[in-house]
DNA sequence: TGTACATCAGTGAACGCGCGTTCACTGATGTAC
DNA sequence: TGTACATCAGTGAACGCGCGTTCACTGATGTAC
């Protein structure tokens, strides 16, 4: 059943969006092509008319979700008028922890990207670099050149590690999970203030 | 072919050790029972004489690798005479980054534990809590009670996040990967000094 | 603008493959005498 | 200590299943006249 070129483009976009959500929730290896197509309202056979492989979709979905995270960072920082403490509190919240499918793709994929194809790794690296750069831009100016970038790297590592660990422990050790969110939040706000 | 009770116990241990390595290198979903048994020098059919399921093995392997990490932390801190800066430098080294199969299980599994069974999550949470507690014990005493634990949580989050991100970017953005290791290392040493 | 037809987005059956798990079998172990 | 046999750790074929991918087909689209 042929459809309008416009509809076909919408279908393609729906596949990428559905993949972005499902991959974040269940991991790249935990979701099949058929399920992604079903989530996009299509049947699995048409998949290869849009993408060369599951892997190519994974790379594209990864790139899109990372781009969304970047946009969200900018939105939040302008909402919060540069108050990074509030950004950290949102990132390290129970709401974000419990909403993997719409949450940060870096935390969702941190430890599995290394096992993915070069295309996925490249998208991830590029997105991560842009994210770090954007965060650095919102930090108060430091003494040495590059000091903000330096801190931004450490902050992103702690955000991603903290969220991933809070998720890993949420079901079996809820107090530990809450403690991780709270402790990282506090320490990060200190770390972002450029005094040391 | 029946074997000695002693040999059977050795086989069981070999399976857990092989699983610990393979799971860290390729993820829980990236390795099959047959491959683990082959790595342990056995055939796949005997697996269910030792374990109730692949999942039960995953939980046990997770518990064992986390216990090893804890032991390693103690060993390193006594070697380094309490110099946490040197411990961080070892953890956030290119050698550790490139040796996933023998490396930190928290960094290897951070983002996939949440998709595993309750048994795996429970082992992970328990191991993580012990690791945090042990690290806190090696930090210089803080002003308030609980301050060391508080910092230990943030440090572990940054270590795990930093290593996972350095691995994710190692192949496609080697300079970024090296930058992550270096930046987190520096910031963490600052964070461990209790002055703020 | 209206008709005729080539194009091609989407369908659903089918493919080979590897997965976790089961089971009848083998033969050395370890126990009973 | 020596023999007879029940036990059971390990083997390898087989199971059903879901995976990524292919393909002949369908029928609406969009173009050529």
């Amino acid at each position: 059943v042929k459809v309008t070129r416009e509809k076909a483009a919408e279908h393609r976009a729906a596949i990428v969006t559905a993949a972005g959500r499902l991959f974040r929730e269940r991991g790249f290896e935990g979701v099949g092509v058929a399920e992604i197509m079903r989530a996009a309202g299509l049947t699995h056979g048409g998949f290869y008319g849009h993408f060369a492989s599951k892997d190519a979709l994974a790379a594209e979905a990864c790139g899109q979700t990372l781009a969304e995270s970047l946009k969200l960072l900018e939105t939040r920082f302008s909402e919060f008028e540069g108050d990074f403490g509030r950004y950290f509190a949102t990132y390290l919240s129970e709401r974000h922890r419990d909403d993997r499918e719409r949450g940060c793709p870096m935390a969702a994929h941190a430890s599995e990207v290394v096992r993915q194809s070069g295309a996925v790794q490249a998208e991830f690296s590029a997105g991560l670099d842009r994210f770090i750069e954007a965060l650095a831009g919102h930090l108060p100016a430091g003494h040495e050149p590059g000091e903000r970038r330096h801190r931004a790297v450490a902050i992103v590592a702690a955000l991603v590690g903290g969220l991933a660990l809070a998720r890993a422990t949420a079901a079996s050790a809820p107090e530990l999970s809450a403690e991780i969110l709270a402790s990282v939040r506090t320490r990060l706000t200190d770390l972002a203030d450029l005094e040391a």
Side-chain angles (χ1 to χ4, degrees), chain A residues 9 26 36 55 75 87 93 113 118 127 137 140 161 176 182 187 192-193:
Chain A
R26 314 232 203 98
I36 294 167
D55 190 82
T75 306
Y87 177 77
S93 65
V113 169
L176 176 58
R187 287 293 114 207
D193 282 317

Side-chain angles (χ1 to χ4, degrees), chain A residues 119-139:
Chain A
V120 172
Q121 292 184 25
E123 287 292 340
F124 189 87
S125 296
L128 172 60
D129 191 69
R130 277 186 221 107
F131 191 90
I132 290 170
E133 202 53 38
L135 180 62
H138 288 291
L139 257 30

Side-chain angles (χ1 to χ4, degrees), chain A residues 52-162:
Chain A
S53 62
K54 182 190 178 186
D55 190 82
L57 170 63
E60 195 162 329
C62 200
Q64 182 178 285
T65 55
L66 278 161
E68 279 168 17
S69 289
L70 189 68
K71 237 182 267 180
L72 192 62
L73 176 133
E74 298 294 357
T75 306
R76 292 252 164 88
F77 265 94
S78 72
E79 267 180 37
F80 298 163
E81 296 170 338
D83 182 348
F84 40 79
R86 289 180 67 195
Y87 177 77
F88 299 156
T90 311
Y91 189 98
L92 293 166
S93 65
E94 302 198 356
R95 170 191 278 255
H96 188 189
R97 179 194 65 190
D98 299 337
D99 190 16
R100 300 202 308 277
E101 80 169 30
R102 288 180 189 74
C104 175
M106 297 183 290
H109 298 133
S111 62
E112 63 175 352
V113 169
V114 70
R115 297 157 197 146
Q116 295 298 305
S117 71
V120 172
Q121 292 184 25
E123 287 292 340
F124 189 87
S125 296
L128 172 60
D129 191 69
R130 277 186 221 107
F131 191 90
I132 290 170
E133 202 53 38
L135 180 62
H138 288 291
L139 257 30
H143 321 299
E144 318 161 29
E147 174 68 13
R148 290 197 293 180
R149 162 108 189 163
H150 191 67
R151 300 234 177 188
V153 169
I155 289 167
V156 171
L159 286 173
V160 169

Side-chain angles (χ1 to χ4, degrees), chain A residues 10-46:
Chain A
E10 281 173 29
H11 288 166
R12 206 194 123 96
I15 295 167
V16 175
T17 299
R21 290 190 184 187
L22 286 166
F23 284 148
R24 273 179 286 179
E25 200 195 346
R26 314 232 203 98
F28 294 119
E29 289 156 305
V31 196
V33 166
E35 187 175 5
I36 294 167
M37 291 299 277
R38 218 177 299 127
L42 298 163
T43 52
H44 69 276

